[in-house]
Amino acid sequence: MIEVQHLTKVYGSLTAVDDISFRVEPGEILGFLGPNGAGKTTTMRVLTGYIPATEGKAIVAGFDVFEQPIEAKRRTGYLPETPPLYPEMTVREYLTFVARINGVSSNDRQRLVGSSMERTRVDHIADRHCGKLSKGYRQRVGLAQAIMHNPDVLILDEPTAGLDPKQIIETRELIKSLGGDHTIILSTHILPEVSQTCQRIVIINRGRVVAEDKPDNLIARLQGAETVSLQIDAGSADPTSALLAVDGVTRVTVNSQDSGAVSAEVESVQGRDLRRDLARTIVTNGWGLLELRSIRMSLEEIFLDLTTEEIEPEHENPDWKNTDQAESGTTNA
């Protein structure tokens, strides 16, 4: 379990994280989203004890990260955006070193190192030096060190960065398999990955939580209306009036009409699925139904809707331009 209560982190005059609260249930995979400089990395670094918070409280696996930092860290696996590898060590040497500093007993060390390499598909490069690995393999070794000591909590910052499509699919399946046994926070810029991997998402913007829900619930809340795309063989007829007459339809927009084939979008009140009624109307009028499908907002559209805003010049805070620096640790606290 992870619980964040009114967490704030200030760097000088810059508030990188501004009074955020959220909770991750045991065994849940939470997608943590936001544009660059939104405060994601700062939040994750606070949760792992890498940096202290200015205000607020964070509980990881039942331990307060500020009052019981050692106990919290023992139960946390962390993959930062840039994996902390030692270039002069081989993969096996590095993971063995990580096992030792995580307190893994000598009896279990070899088994857990081997298991983590196998699960992340790096066992065939066990004797290669970390400094000679590609970015994708460095990322996979970083994930291996995060899961190696079987922690209760996993905090993964861009775990698929630099991976090829096949490796992304393998890593996604690995993360999904870890859910249930581990509580996971997953930060990523690959939005389809969130919908395929995470049960719930938190979207953060300008240091504040702007949305928190299951992906399907967010889509339903923000879409506002149900939309169906139709393609009809109506001959010389105009189907607009007949479609508008269907109970619940609020608007019909004809996008194109070419040689009798009409392409249109039909909107209805939220929560009404009119596909059967629309199909019945089309068939009753003797028209051919070529296509009928629901149109839903994508996660990308939701993300842009919640994180894109016009800022009036007199209200613009120039400090926000330095948020990336703050998150990378280059801004003085």
Side-chain angles (χ1 to χ4, degrees):
M1 183 270 291
I2 301 170
E3 189 169 359
V4 175
Q5 302 173 2
H6 304 289
L7 199 67
T8 297
K9 178 61 180 178
V10 177
Y11 295 94
S13 61
L14 168 64
T15 302
V17 177
D18 190 3
D19 191 28
I20 68 170
S21 298
F22 62 88
R23 180 185 175 95
V24 192
E25 298 297 334
E28 185 178 32
I29 304 176
L30 177 79
F32 195 46
L33 307 180
N36 289 332
K40 303 188 304 299
T41 297
T42 295
T43 302
M44 296 174 111
R45 287 177 173 176
V46 170
L47 288 175
T48 57
Y50 184 76
I51 58 174
T54 305
E55 294 179 13
K57 190 172 186 178
I59 298 172
V60 172
F63 295 93
D64 190 304
V65 298
F66 314 126
E67 296 179 0
Q68 300 163 294
I70 301 301
E71 294 300 324
K73 289 176 182 178
R74 282 176 178 162
R75 291 160 177 82
T76 302
Y78 178 40
L79 173 63
E81 189 171 357
T82 302
L85 309 185
Y86 291 99
E88 69 277 5
M89 288 184 175
T90 66
V91 172
R92 191 190 310 276
E93 289 170 344
Y94 169 69
L95 293 176
T96 302
F97 168 72
V98 172
R100 291 177 60 192
I101 63 176
N102 275 297
V104 175
S105 69
S106 57
N107 293 333
D108 295 331
R109 203 172 294 156
Q110 184 175 351
R111 175 180 59 83
L112 290 176
V113 167
S115 174
S116 67
M117 288 194 296
E118 183 178 351
R119 296 179 78 179
T120 55
R121 308 289 200 277
V122 296
D123 46 326
H124 63 291
I125 58 167
D127 297 319
R128 190 177 301 177
H129 284 87
C130 293
K132 296 183 178 180
L133 300 179
S134 67
K135 179 175 174 56
Y137 276 121
R138 290 174 64 88
Q139 201 72 13
R140 293 164 82 176
V141 173
L143 183 57
Q145 65 81 27
I147 68 173
M148 185 264 307
H149 59 295
N150 196 32
D152 296 327
V153 169
L154 284 170
I155 298 178
L156 310 176
D157 195 355
E158 301 289 345
T160 58
L163 303 185
D164 63 38
K166 182 175 183 294
Q167 293 169 340
I168 288 174
I169 293 171
E170 291 173 348
T171 302
R172 182 188 299 152
E173 291 303 313
L174 172 59
I175 293 170
K176 287 172 67 175
S177 73
L178 293 170
D181 295 327
H182 306 265
T183 303
I184 303 173
I185 291 183
L186 167 66
S187 171
T188 180
H189 285 94
I190 305 173
L191 298 184
E193 187 171 289
V194 175
S195 59
Q196 295 179 47
T197 308
C198 304
Q199 292 104 342
R200 197 162 52 88
I201 63 176
V202 168
I203 299 178
I204 186 174
N205 188 40
R206 293 182 171 268
R208 288 181 172 270
V209 172
V210 295
E212 178 182 355
D213 212 329
K214 296 179 180 179
D216 287 345
N217 291 347
L218 276 179
I219 291 170
R221 281 165 47 194
L222 294 175
Q223 185 143 326
E226 304 293 334
T227 305
V228 174
S229 174
L230 293 173
Q231 191 171 17
I232 307 167
D233 183 0
S236 60
D238 183 354
T240 304
S241 298
L243 296 174
L244 281 170
V246 174
D247 183 36
V249 171
T250 57
R251 185 170 67 173
V252 175
T253 303
V254 175
N255 296 323
S256 65
Q257 188 165 2
D258 183 25
S259 302
V262 179
S263 176
E265 290 184 3
V266 179
E267 290 187 9
S268 63
V269 293
Q270 188 173 2
R272 292 284 299 274
D273 186 351
L274 299 182
R275 287 176 294 177
R276 287 187 178 86
D277 295 336
L278 292 169
R280 187 181 303 113
T281 296
I282 293 166
V283 173
T284 299
N285 279 276
W287 302 323
L289 178 57
L290 306 179
E291 181 184 50
L292 185 154
R293 60 184 174 85
S294 294
I295 299 177
R296 306 183 74 204
M297 289 181 72
S298 67
L299 196 55
E300 288 90 343
E301 290 171 320
I302 289 175
F303 180 81
L304 290 173
D305 186 61
L306 292 170
T307 60
T308 304
E309 55 187 323
E310 294 294 330
I311 304 172
E312 297 179 9
E314 62 268 27
H315 295 138
E316 185 173 353
N317 181 357
D319 283 337
W320 281 105
K321 298 175 181 177
N322 297 320
T323 307
D324 285 330
Q325 286 184 315
E327 291 209 333
S328 65
T330 57
T331 300
N332 293 329

